[in-house]
Amino acid sequence: MRRWLGRPRLCLLQAARAAPRPRDPPRAPAGTRGWCGSAAGRPSMTPLPLSYTVFDGPAPQPPLVFLHGLLGSKGNFRAIARALVQRSGRKVLTMDARNHGESPHSATMSYEAMSLDVQRLLRQLHLPKCVLVGHSMGGKTAMTLALQQPDLVERLVSVDISPTESVTVTNFQAYISAMRRVSIPSGIPRSTARRLAEDQLRPVIQVSAVRRFLLTNLVEAEGHSEDYPEIERLFPEAEIQYISGAGHWVHADKSQEFITAICNFLLLP
């Protein structure tokens, strides 16, 4: 079996769940497979120019690059990015994935395509190496990039997602359906549009924090700890940390613990 030697050091930050259950690892690295459809037969793999924000820091070490999850946006990490600049001194970069936020849309939606988008942005900003921090879908994208282009990644933090095939951790299909049904009249202020959208989401999505999270995509115009074998096969130096009391959105539920865990990981030799 091929070993992925020389890969960036990986830290998995997960919400506390049941104890791991050993199993035989899959033969193929699921972290590099397509997410929405296979990469084979794709209509286009042209990387897209992503929308991004840079939080500048004085430290010369490689910057931290945050990749959000499904239905998220670069704004999810704004406060955390500022805190990490203060605590680590490093530059922090956040971005909208394709088909999210202010980035362009495309019929192609795969982890390979999203990895190429990030690589394009790193080249554009003349960043030869970075620390990737990816949540959920963003974690899969980050692992894909690290396996394909390890020289670009100093370290890798994957938040509540592993390299194996993921199971649904929340009712995303219901969220997507509710978002599609939202109807907003044109010509009204953004604050009014946001209030109307939240009112229409409330019957399906009762948790206000989840509604606010989904509303970050209102613009004008998921794995378990039982996946140790596959994690160790793809990232032999991986470390796994559990953050007690957090749900799937670890960085929102326990932001201070999340920031501390990243800072501690940056200090490891």
Side-chain angles (χ1 to χ4, degrees):
M1 179 183 292
R2 181 178 179 183
R3 297 286 291 180
W4 296 90
L5 299 177
R7 301 298 178 183
R9 189 165 187 171
L10 168 70
C11 176
L12 281 164
L13 298 178
Q14 296 189 302
R17 295 197 177 102
R21 179 175 75 247
R23 69 177 185 182
D24 292 331
R27 295 182 63 84
T32 59
R33 297 175 188 162
W35 165 58
C36 185
S38 167
R42 55 187 176 262
S44 170
M45 285 296 289
T46 303
L48 299 180
L50 302 181
S51 174
Y52 67 93
T53 301
V54 175
F55 300 82
D56 214 2
Q61 290 93 345
L64 287 88
V65 174
F66 279 82
L67 309 180
H68 64 77
L70 181 64
L71 307 182
S73 71
K74 62 181 180 291
N76 299 151
F77 294 109
R78 186 184 296 113
I80 285 174
R82 289 174 176 150
L84 282 168
V85 169
Q86 293 267 336
R87 289 189 56 174
S88 72
R90 296 198 190 206
K91 178 185 297 184
V92 178
L93 177 69
T94 64
M95 63 186 73
D96 288 330
R98 59 171 56 203
N99 298 322
H100 288 72
E102 298 174 327
S103 285
H105 286 217
S106 170
T108 303
M109 189 70 177
S110 68
Y111 291 121
E112 184 178 5
M114 290 187 282
S115 168
L116 291 175
D117 294 341
V118 178
Q119 293 176 47
R120 179 191 187 278
L121 184 55
L122 294 177
R123 289 194 301 269
Q124 174 188 334
L125 299 178
H126 307 289
L127 299 175
K129 196 176 284 287
C130 69
V131 176
L132 281 179
V133 184
H135 171 247
S136 196
M137 178 189 77
K140 289 274 197 184
T141 302
M143 287 184 279
T144 300
L145 195 159
L147 291 170
Q148 292 176 335
Q149 300 291 336
D151 290 344
L152 292 176
V153 184
E154 179 195 68
R155 294 173 190 245
L156 168 63
V157 179
S158 180
V159 185
D160 210 48
I161 199 75
S162 83
T164 65
E165 296 289 355
S166 301
V167 297
T168 303
V169 294
T170 190
N171 196 358
F172 277 124
Q173 287 299 326
Y175 295 169
I176 292 171
S177 296
M179 292 169 74
R180 284 176 172 169
R181 289 194 298 269
V182 169
S183 177
I184 304 295
S186 59
I188 63 175
R190 181 181 177 88
S191 59
T192 304
R194 184 183 178 92
R195 191 161 54 249
L196 288 173
E198 183 167 13
D199 289 342
Q200 294 175 51
L201 292 175
R202 188 174 287 109
V204 177
I205 306 166
Q206 285 80 31
V207 181
S208 61
V210 176
R211 288 198 304 273
R212 290 196 300 270
F213 169 79
L214 297 178
L215 286 169
T216 62
N217 270 297
L218 182 66
V219 294
E220 295 182 52
E222 287 17 9
H224 294 281
S225 62
E226 65 185 13
D227 299 327
Y228 283 148
E230 182 73 346
I231 294 168
E232 291 175 353
R233 182 171 79 86
L234 295 174
F235 300 96
E237 295 187 47
E239 296 193 3
I240 298 179
Q241 296 185 36
Y242 291 91
I243 296 183
S244 180
H248 179 57
W249 290 286
V250 181
H251 51 286
D253 294 338
K254 294 287 183 178
S255 58
Q256 292 305 312
E257 292 86 343
F258 177 79
I259 292 167
T260 297
I262 290 179
C263 290
N264 290 340
F265 182 56
L266 293 176
L267 294 175
L268 291 177

